[in-house]
Amino acid sequence: MQLVLLGPPGAGKGTQARRLARKLGVPRVTTGDMLRGHVKEGTDLGAQARSYMARGDLVPDDLVVEMVRQRLEADDCRDGFLLDGFPRTEVQARVLDDLGPPDLVLYLDVPGDEIVRRLAGRRVCQGCQAVYHLEHDPPRRPGVCDRCGGTLEQREDDREEVVRERVRRYREQTEPLVARYRRRSLLREVEGTGGIEVVARRLDAVLRAEGLVPG
Ligand code: AMP
């Protein structure tokens, strides 16, 4: 089962991907988390990716593609995977077709003004990467992760001016993939507005309809 979660920044891909991967028993391959890990650890890739990420630009295809290729070759991806944040360009989509073409693409969409609102209130645990929202999904204690006690911080690229650049990149480079997968009848559109549970139920309904989880 090779799934892709597609959608603009702030659509809730990360939150839903965690849940879906658990439910389906496949690893979640999240390129944003992987790249942030490289930046934090100070690897060569991290050093190369850092400035692109900080200004809301996409990291060059060759770097991301190589990272994903290695990850998908790992043993735990043999029976399937859930990609979150990849592919983001036509080049990446073509590479994915060679590595392991998706069986299904779940497209989570939210309107533009909602994106900025969501990302401005987003806080991420520096320990376990759990995601919170100051209004919609606040932690029990301000600034502290419910799960691991880690510190919650705003991502550097969730500042408003960087968010606008990320949305621009999305519209130019990633949104065209919607048509690509629709043409191949792989696309399932799921409305990303509303709370986490509401969106989760919509995704579950699609998975049931596709026979990927028991009805
Ligand atoms: P995300 O956490 O998915 O919003 O990704 C954060 C940042 O990582 C993006 O703004 C890009 O700079 C970079 N990034 C993540 N995935 C990709 C990808 N598939 N291709 C290029 N850049 C990526």
Side-chain angles (χ1 to χ4, degrees), residues 20-151:
L20 284 178
R22 243 194 336 263
K23 191 175 178 111
L24 296 167
V26 294
R28 174 177 65 101
V29 177
T30 302
T31 46
D33 283 353
M34 292 165 79
L35 289 167
R36 278 185 290 278
H38 278 279
V39 170
K40 209 166 169 181
E41 285 161 27
T43 66
D44 278 355
L45 172 56
Q48 293 180 77
R50 182 179 204 138
S51 60
Y52 296 98
M53 296 170 76
R55 60 174 184 263
D57 215 339
L58 292 182
V59 175
D61 285 329
D62 53 341
L63 299 177
V64 178
V65 158
E66 193 44 39
M67 179 182 79
V68 170
R69 190 193 304 280
Q70 283 179 22
R71 180 67 190 91
L72 296 188
E73 278 171 1
D75 269 358
D76 65 328
C77 289
R78 232 184 3 223
D79 296 330
F81 46 79
L82 173 62
L83 279 167
D84 160 20
F86 185 97
R88 257 175 156 104
T89 65
E90 289 284 349
V91 169
Q92 294 178 15
R94 280 204 298 273
V95 168
L96 182 62
D97 281 341
D98 290 336
L99 290 176
D103 300 311
L104 206 63
V105 177
L106 299 163
Y107 173 42
L108 211 51
D109 199 14
V110 293
D113 50 344
E114 174 89 16
I115 292 174
V116 179
R117 245 198 328 271
R118 284 190 181 197
L119 294 184
R122 176 158 81 173
R123 296 294 180 274
V124 182
C125 175
Q126 300 305 294
C128 71
Q129 313 303 317
V131 179
Y132 297 84
H133 192 280
L134 295 180
E135 287 163 43
H136 311 307
D137 185 24
R140 283 195 291 274
R141 278 176 55 204
V144 180
C145 179
D146 294 348
R147 294 198 207 166
C148 77
T151 311

